Amino acid sequence: MQKILVRARRQVFSEMVGNNPSIFQGEGYDFIELREYMPGDDIRHIDWNITAKMQKPFIKIFREERELNVVLVSILNGSVHFGSKKFKQDSIADISALLSFSTLKNGDLLSSYIFTDEMISNTKPSKKLHQIQKNVSDILDFDAINKKVDFKVVADTLYKRLKRKSLIIIMGDFFEIPNFKLLAKKHEVISIIVRDTLEENPPQMGFASLVDPESGATLEGDFNASSVKAYAKKVKMHDHNLYETFRKDQVRFTKIYTHSQESVELRRLFEGR
């Protein structure tokens, strides 16, 4: 755990954000209106849909809020207990540490939740550094084996508990498709899909027995070229439906693999690349 904290703190306070105040730069703002683009405007605020319709660039104008309320949500069902380089659960802890340090560096409020098919734990909004250590420790120490996920519980609980408009960042592997439509109308919701390449494109293993870490069920079969290809196709179709649901519900999202540099992927997400 200490390695995760030290590495995340170093990346946030030096390498990761450089001279920028936070990777959340631009997130703590309320949208006011649209106007035509002028030289010197931040191109990240260009509204590409309106630009395409009007055939000239328009940007979104924002009013700065004094303080952003950042809520980190870790979905720790059984399937996060998997990874070729490292477990997805460890990647979620890494991402949580990076986001937490960046939040506090920017002077924003930080709170966190852990969910399975119920709310496991939560912390109140705070600006204290010890909260980061507790959150990372809770993620790493949690026994996710045989735990299931219920995204309705996640969405309903957050909708009821969070009174103030917040930036909610939900981390999990999302092998089930959630309905965050109502939650995203009240808050800004970002989903971070944490995956391992082996579960999307598994190798040919011949006859083998696999144990589902979520249900505990054993699956036996011939994992040959044909079956592996069919499985990969199903995962790809699932992800296509997942992405379409997120776009329809106005939920921003990205995918981060266990072998990726989390800090690089997070900067791409929040800088709108």
Side-chain angles (χ1 to χ4, degrees), residues 196-214:
D196 189 275
T197 53
L198 279 186
E199 63 190 349
E200 293 187 353
N201 294 285
Q204 298 178 39
M205 297 178 287
F207 285 96
S209 295
L210 302 178
V211 178
D212 184 340
E214 185 167 313

Side-chain angles (χ1 to χ4, degrees), residues 76-139:
L76 301 183
N77 52 309
S79 56
V80 302
H81 190 76
F82 177 84
S84 52
K85 297 290 184 181
K86 63 179 179 181
F87 284 160
K88 290 181 285 182
Q89 189 166 346
D90 295 334
S91 287
I92 290 173
D94 285 336
I95 295 166
S96 179
L98 286 166
L99 295 173
S100 295
F101 277 120
S102 189
T103 298
L104 298 191
K105 181 176 187 278
N106 202 42
D108 295 321
L109 285 168
L110 172 69
S111 59
S112 60
Y113 288 79
I114 291 177
F115 281 95
T116 55
D117 55 356
E118 61 181 343
M119 187 180 76
I120 301 299
S121 64
N122 77 289
T123 60
K124 295 181 179 179
S126 171
K127 295 184 179 181
K128 296 180 179 179
L129 282 172
H130 73 80
Q131 181 160 315
I132 300 176
Q133 182 172 347
K134 182 182 186 308
N135 186 36
V136 172
S137 177
D138 287 347
I139 293 171

